[in-house]
Amino acid sequence: NAGVTQTPKFQVLKTGQSMTLQCAQDMNHNSMYWYRQDPGMGLRLIYYSASEGTTDKGEVPNGYNVSRLNKREFSLRLESAAPSQTSVYFCASSELGDLYEQYFGPGTRLTVT
Amino acid sequence: SQQGEEDPQALSIQEGENATMNCSYKTSINNLQWYRQNSGRGLVHLILIRSNEREKHSGRLRVTLDTSKKSSSLLITASRAADTASYFCATDPIYNQGGKLIFGQGTELSVKP
């Protein structure tokens, strides 16, 4: 079991460029999440998908879009990158419900210049 | 907004000592979870405590929850250098749907050999 995988591990973009961060999980989880982590800010939820076919905004959704491609895959797209989106991005998955922990991927370190 | 506030922000101890980290939150919760993050890695779930539980143990970890004070503490006993990491509390507020968690800003623990 690979758990939660993310690609790429590192990326440098110029302002205005677009890119898609990929996430896949092999644990048959219903729910998937995208977070960003900035120094001193903890993790903030960008978007989540409670189950296949549904997506909802989190705390900081502006500038991002998501696609729940199937039960395994949940991608995050930056249409026009800005320096404020420089961050480390984590994908996570869990079973649906109140009593389940989240499993995290290794992260993507994104720099926007 | 940050649901969880952690204290202290940083903690430095000697190997063999105990480490205590605290988390306070603002709204009623279904459960509270603690995660560990090693430098440059994703978060790893440590322990989950339900709102109707007051204390839980897992190996060298002891978690307490006081819902009347809206606070939790994580105690790591007999710490080791390998415990050096950042520790985050995460709450699952009652008003949430979809198992979304709200993370605190974390406590950075350094255990010196």
Side-chain angles (χ1 to χ4, degrees):
Chain A
N1 273 354
V4 180
T5 57
Q6 292 183 237
T7 55
K9 285 188 168 50
F10 301 93
Q11 184 72 49
V12 178
L13 291 178
K14 291 188 182 344
T15 297
Q17 287 185 319
S18 62
M19 79 161 294
T20 300
L21 282 64
Q22 306 286 355
C23 174
Q25 52 92 9
D26 62 2
M27 295 172 282
N28 203 36
H29 286 162
N30 285 296
S31 301
M32 297 185 74
Y33 311 84
W34 275 106
Y35 295 91
R36 59 177 289 172
Q37 184 177 34
D38 302 296
M41 298 289 293
L43 274 78
R44 292 182 291 170
L45 183 65
I46 305 171
Y47 270 94
Y48 72 102
S49 171
S51 59
E52 187 179 354
T54 69
T55 60
D56 279 293
K57 296 177 181 179
E59 183 185 354
V60 288
N62 290 348
Y64 306 95
N65 284 303
V66 290
S67 294
R68 182 74 183 266
L69 305 170
N70 47 54
K71 193 172 185 180
R72 288 188 66 247
E73 298 170 289
F74 189 37
S75 62
L76 178 72
R77 182 159 178 85
L78 287 70
E79 290 290 352
S80 179
S84 61
Q85 294 178 305
T86 293
S87 188
V88 182
Y89 290 85
F90 289 99
C91 177
S93 71
S94 73
E95 292 290 356
L96 182 63
D98 295 335
L99 296 175
Y100 296 103
E101 68 266 33
Q102 293 185 11
Y103 293 80
F104 283 78
T108 295
R109 188 174 294 273
L110 175 67
T111 302
V112 183
T113 61
Chain B
S1 63
Q2 293 292 324
Q3 163 82 323
E5 297 288 336
E6 289 169 76
D7 168 54
Q9 289 189 333
L11 181 61
S12 183
I13 59 175
Q14 295 294 131
E15 218 168 18
E17 294 180 338
N18 295 340
T20 300
M21 289 158 264
N22 302 297
C23 171
S24 60
Y25 57 92
K26 296 174 183 161
T27 62
S28 297
I29 59 173
N30 293 311
N31 67 74
L32 185 145
Q33 304 179 29
W34 286 90
Y35 288 79
R36 184 188 72 226
Q37 184 181 34
N38 290 93
S39 181
R41 309 290 289 272
L43 277 71
V44 175
H45 179 261
L46 294 175
I47 197 165
L48 180 154
I49 186 165
R50 304 181 188 197
S51 61
N52 62 354
E53 296 177 314
R54 292 297 164 257
E55 188 170 313
K56 203 162 183 181
H57 296 256
S58 176
R60 293 183 296 113
L61 305 181
R62 174 179 157 239
V63 170
T64 61
L65 179 64
D66 187 334
T67 53
S68 67
K69 294 182 179 176
K70 292 187 169 57
S71 68
S72 174
S73 66
L74 170 67
L75 169 67
I76 303 174
T77 60
S79 63
R80 306 166 181 167
D83 294 328
T84 294
S86 292
Y87 292 82
F88 294 88
C89 69
T91 52
D92 178 12
I94 282 178
Y95 61 77
N96 260 353
Q97 292 180 350
K100 293 182 292 181
L101 298 177
I102 300 179
F103 285 82
Q105 295 172 340
T107 292
E108 198 171 318
L109 174 65
S110 174
V111 181
K112 300 187 188 321

